[in-house]
Amino acid sequence: MTGTYEVASLRKHWVQVPARDAAALAKAERTTGADFATAGERVWEGDTFVYLPITINVRSGAKVRRERLVFALGDDVLVTLQPEVPFAPFDKALARLRRLPHLAQSAHGVMYALLYALNEAQERVIDYASDALEAMSDEITLATDGYDDRGREIGVGNMQDTIARMNSAEEIVSRSQESQLLLARAARHLRAEAEGRTPALAPLIDVLIDDINGVKEHASYEHDKVRYLQQSIMTSLDVKQNQIVKVFTIITAVFLPPTLIATFYGMNFTNMPELAWEHGFLATTLLTFVAALIPLWYIRRRGWLR
């Protein structure tokens, strides 16, 4: 457990500000000098603070939402503009600060712990998206095979829900890649700021940067996988739709000549000799049958039935 000295030191070096609380934001700006309004959405270096905006994914049950944070890193104090206080992703940081209480003795140590926790949270989000993809593996296999467990052909309508969930997983992974870039940028700024003030943190921050890059590579791998699965499903469905169009085209080609013959006999001509023949109906029927077989023979000869 963290002692009273560590708690007091942590509060001295870390100020949490809920973004939706205008009064708390104004108070923090008066007491610390942090000017979030001027920094805006950019990385900005002022006389006292370095402002580092970060956007992360936060998982809440089956939902993943985007949240924005801004770190204002000074020599002795770290001010975080965050969605709420307490902020659930920071729980891991508090546990690390309790385990390594010397981190709470400086603003740079606190920020290291926070970035460490955010990186861990991002990895859990990516794992969640990966698990969702694995859960859809049977559906994806069925779509690739083209038939469901009852032997019926699978069409676009059968896969709409799977495709929608896969698109959602791709969005989560893509956003995670962006978040990892922002975390890596913040960690590099922290490394530069801590080098002359808390040099003992440098090895830890170097490891953190490697971990952030590792999670980014994991996100890139999952992104490539989901894109491949999407392409496989769409290719399978495209082939199936092309087969359906091919069947209708063949049917149309086969029945076009008989339709033409039937059209001739539907005309109001007064002199049609075969109408007076004894076997005129049989001859006309055979002619129609042969006219239907000729395009079918041609299509089969060209290999279009395969």
Side-chain angles (χ1 to χ4, degrees):
M1 296 295 291
T2 303
T4 304
Y5 174 76
E6 287 78 9
V7 171
S9 178
L10 180 60
R11 291 177 178 174
K12 174 184 176 183
H13 295 293
W14 180 26
V15 177
Q16 303 179 70
V17 182
R20 299 176 182 86
D21 190 338
L25 178 59
K27 179 181 177 181
E29 290 181 347
R30 285 196 312 271
T31 57
T32 64
D35 188 359
F36 290 100
T38 302
E41 301 286 336
R42 55 181 175 163
V43 175
W44 185 61
E45 295 189 20
D47 295 335
T48 310
F49 291 93
V50 176
Y51 299 86
L52 301 166
I54 294 177
T55 305
I56 64 166
N57 297 306
V58 178
R59 181 187 169 193
S60 241
K63 294 183 178 180
V64 177
R65 68 181 189 275
R66 297 282 280 174
E67 297 287 4
R68 180 180 176 275
L69 303 91
V70 180
F71 291 94
L73 178 63
D75 291 339
D76 297 319
V77 63
L78 171 69
V79 185
T80 55
L81 185 65
Q82 56 197 62
E84 56 192 4
V85 178
F87 188 46
F90 285 162
D91 291 344
K92 183 89 172 181
L94 294 175
R96 192 167 183 81
L97 289 168
R98 285 194 294 268
R99 190 164 58 85
L100 302 173
H102 68 277
L103 295 176
Q105 307 305 313
S106 69
H108 303 88
V110 174
M111 184 169 174
Y112 158 78
L114 297 181
L115 292 178
Y116 175 89
L118 293 178
N119 186 55
E120 293 287 317
Q122 292 302 112
E123 185 171 20
R124 289 193 294 271
V125 169
I126 297 171
D127 288 338
Y128 168 73
S130 178
D131 291 342
L133 290 174
E134 290 297 328
M136 289 184 276
S137 60
D138 292 339
E139 302 170 35
I140 296 169
T141 301
L142 287 176
T144 305
D145 293 341
Y147 296 90
D148 62 14
D149 52 1
R150 298 181 182 178
R152 297 180 302 181
E153 291 191 7
I154 296 176
V156 177
N158 303 107
M159 296 302 299
Q160 284 182 343
D161 180 62
T162 302
I163 293 173
R165 285 185 284 131
M166 191 175 298
N167 290 340
S168 177
E170 182 196 13
E171 184 179 6
I172 291 172
V173 174
S174 297
R175 289 179 172 179
S176 295
Q177 289 180 298
E178 179 186 357
S179 296
Q180 292 308 115
L181 291 173
L182 296 175
L183 283 174
R185 182 180 64 183
R188 288 193 296 270
H189 276 276
L190 174 62
R191 176 70 169 78
E193 292 292 320
E195 187 170 6
R197 298 175 178 84
T198 50
L201 273 179
L204 292 177
I205 299 174
D206 290 338
V207 173
L208 174 62
I209 293 174
D210 289 339
D211 288 344
I212 292 173
N213 291 330
V215 174
K216 180 180 177 294
E217 291 178 4
H218 183 195
S220 298
Y221 168 77
E222 294 297 335
H223 186 262
D224 291 340
K225 181 169 71 174
V226 70
R227 293 301 297 271
Y228 169 76
L229 293 175
Q230 286 175 325
Q231 187 64 35
S232 297
I233 288 181
M234 297 311 299
T235 300
S236 176
L237 294 177
D238 286 342
V239 169
K240 186 170 295 296
Q241 288 180 323
N242 290 336
Q243 289 175 339
I244 293 172
V245 172
K246 182 177 72 173
V247 169
F248 279 106
T249 302
I250 293 173
I251 292 174
T252 301
V254 169
F255 282 96
L256 185 59
T259 302
L260 183 61
I261 294 173
T263 302
F264 286 145
Y265 283 93
M267 297 179 182
N268 294 322
F269 289 116
T270 57
N271 184 19
M272 298 185 73
E274 59 272 21
L275 295 179
W277 294 354
E278 180 180 356
H279 301 292
F281 175 77
L282 179 59
T284 304
T285 302
L286 290 175
L287 176 62
T288 303
F289 182 68
V290 171
L293 287 179
I294 290 174
L296 185 60
W297 169 83
Y298 179 78
I299 291 170
R300 183 178 180 84
R301 181 180 178 85
R302 294 300 298 270
W304 295 346
L305 288 176
R306 290 195 295 268

